[in-house]
Every structure is written in C-alpha cells, then in structure tokens.
Amino acid sequence: MPGNGKLHYLMNKKHLLELKNVSVSFSPGIYAIKNVSVSIKPCAITSVIGASGAGKSTLLRSINRMHELYPNIKLSGEISLDGKNIMEMKPIEVRRRIGMVFQMPNPFPAMNIYQNVLSGYKLNKIYLSKAEKDEIVEKSLQDVALWDEVKNSLNKSALSLTVGQQQRLCIARTLALQPEFLLMDDPTSSIDPICTNRIEELMYRLKDNHTIIVVAHNLSQASRISDYAMYLEKGELVEYDISNVMFVAPKDKRTERYITEQIE
Ligand SMILES: Nc1ncnc2c1ncn2[C@@H]1O[C@H](COP(=O)(O)OP(=O)(O)OP(=O)(O)O)[C@@H](O)[C@H]1O
Ligand SMILES: [Mg+2]
C-alpha cells in the first residue's frame, strides 16, 4: 500500500498473537492463570493490570515460553503466533520474535556495553561481520536514546551504567534481534521518573512496528501508555478492552472494584 508505511508493514508482518484457553499451574489443581483467551491487537500497547499474585508475570512468561524454565510447571491451551502454535516452534525462535524485558535490569555483568547489545546474536549463533555488529549496536542504542550517552564507552562494563541506563541497554539488547513483540514486566519499577518518561516515550515510538504487552507499574502509567488493557484477577482474565474505556467505564464489577481501590 504505497504511501502508508505502517499498513505496508502490517501486511508483511501480521503480528497475530492469540491465546486460547491458556492455563498455567505450578502444582496440580492450583492455577496461576486460568483459561485465558485473548487476541492481542498488533502494533499497539496492551497493559496488563491486577493485584500482586494475579498472574501477570506468569502470563507474560508463558507467551515466550520462559515458563519452561520452571520445573513442574504445566501449561495447557494454545498460544499461536501468526497462526502457528508456539509449542511447535523452536524456543529460541519464539524468544527472538517475542522479546522480553524484566522488572530489574539484568545486563550480562561479564560483558561490556557493546557485547551486551549483541549477546542475543551470540546466543543464537548468528555470525555477523564487524561492520554489521557496529551498525546493530549503534541502531539499537539509538532506538533507546542511549547512544549519545555511551558511544565513547562501549567497551566499559555494563555495570558501570546507572540503573536507568542499564534498563535501556536491556531493551536495546532485546531490540537488536528485531523482535515483533515486546513483553515488558513492570520495566520502570526500579528507575527514576526521568528515565521512566524516556522508556514510556520509547514504547510509544516502538509501537509503530512492534506489538507491546506491558505489566504496568500502576494505573496512571497504564492509562498514560496503553491502547488496550487486560485486567487479571486470581489468574482469570476478567476484562479486556480499549484502556480508556476500561479505566473510565469498566464492565465487570471486579474491574471496577480494583480501579476504584487504586485511585483511592
Ligand atoms: N515459581 C513459582 N512457584 C510456585 N508458584 C508460583 C511461582 N511463581 C508464581 N507463583 C504463583 O502464581 C501466581 C501468579 O504469580 P505471578 O508472579 O504471575 O503474579 P503477578 O501478578 O506477576 O504478581 P506481582 O504483581 O507480585 O509481580 C501466584 O499465586 C504465585 O504465588
Ligand atoms: Mg509479577
């Protein structure tokens, strides 16, 4: 579709992520998430809200198969990416296409800044020339507005950065692999308000060609940044709607109670 970059992109990359009756349990009969069915809107930000223990992190982890790192965990139902069951794909491929950013920045301590950005390529055993590496590092760090701050210290340890810079580095490391989806589990909880703004602005820019699912730090962040919102309670997806609609006029009593409690 000439003249419309975004639509053109959408036609090439469908970004269809669907969950059908997904349940996850850590022990028999006890569900961390229960029967969740949802079709995630592409090239938009969906926030996940709910009380502690509601299942927000478990939901995000199951979407890129990170739940498999927990022993005894069981997942039932189906998660599909562009119509393909993710359980039938290679985990490394799923995690390349669906990147994840955690609550606490977790750069690789033994690697410098440059190596951290490229670590996904190393892990995926993808060979790059020096020129390609330089280009990916610069672009990824530009994307997260960190390039100007670190361009003269790329060989310094990632741990020499502030916490906020480390979190942007972790986002750059994820973006370096050109994922279609970004799962972000409360990515601003450990950083100051200025850096939080930067990350929120970054998410806003990224949604042009990424689908983002984020566990919001609080309701005001969720309403600032998200197009759609999911409310989870005791592992159940109670409500899923356009965020402005849900936050102003929730349809379910349980959502209404949660929102009211958060505002009070
Ligand atoms: N490793 C684990 N082993 C056993 N149970 C777990 C484990 N991780 C989470 N759970 C349980 O699964 C449920 C959902 O937890 P989860 O961490 O997904 O919630 P959350 O909404 O992310 O909470 P928070 O806001 O505190 O991060 C909780 O009842 C929790 O106790
Ligand atoms: Mg959590």
Side-chain angles (χ1 to χ4, degrees), residues 35-47:
N35 236 1
V36 172
S37 294
V38 65
S39 177
I40 300 293
K41 296 282 188 287
C43 293
I45 302 177
T46 298
S47 62

Side-chain angles (χ1 to χ4, degrees), residues 26 31-32 50-59 61 70 103 185:
F26 288 94
Y31 292 95
S52 181
K56 306 180 295 293
S57 299
T58 306
L59 178 72
R61 283 196 294 260
Y70 291 82
Q103 201 166 21
D185 194 346

Side-chain angles (χ1 to χ4, degrees), residues 66-81:
M66 292 292 274
H67 71 284
E68 290 170 13
L69 306 178
Y70 291 82
N72 306 324
I73 196 166
K74 290 242 156 20
L75 183 142
S76 62
E78 193 180 310
I79 301 174
S80 61
L81 193 55

Side-chain angles (χ1 to χ4, degrees), residues 199-257:
I199 290 182
E200 290 182 5
E201 280 165 18
L202 164 68
M203 290 163 74
Y204 218 79
R205 269 187 287 122
L206 289 175
K207 75 171 176 174
D208 268 350
N209 41 32
H210 295 81
T211 300
I212 301 176
I213 307 177
V214 56
V215 174
H217 189 55
N218 50 36
L219 215 51
S220 42
Q221 182 176 63
S223 63
R224 260 197 318 275
I225 62 174
S226 62
D227 304 290
Y228 297 88
M230 295 166 72
Y231 172 60
L232 288 183
E233 188 172 298
K234 296 179 187 145
E236 227 181 285
L237 176 58
V238 172
E239 195 159 340
Y240 171 50
D241 209 334
I242 295 168
S243 53
N244 286 338
V245 173
M246 189 195 288
F247 298 149
V248 174
K251 293 187 180 64
D252 193 288
K253 283 274 172 247
R254 291 169 290 177
T255 320
E256 186 181 341
R257 189 179 343 106

Side-chain angles (χ1 to χ4, degrees), residues 119-147:
S119 54
Y121 285 89
K122 202 170 173 193
L123 199 72
N124 281 273
K125 298 192 174 70
I126 299 169
Y127 176 79
L128 297 171
S129 67
K130 173 80 171 73
E132 286 169 325
K133 285 182 186 170
D134 288 350
E135 192 186 333
I136 291 168
V137 168
E138 178 169 348
K139 172 151 192 334
S140 309
L141 292 171
Q142 293 270 19
D143 280 347
V144 299
L146 191 58
W147 175 248

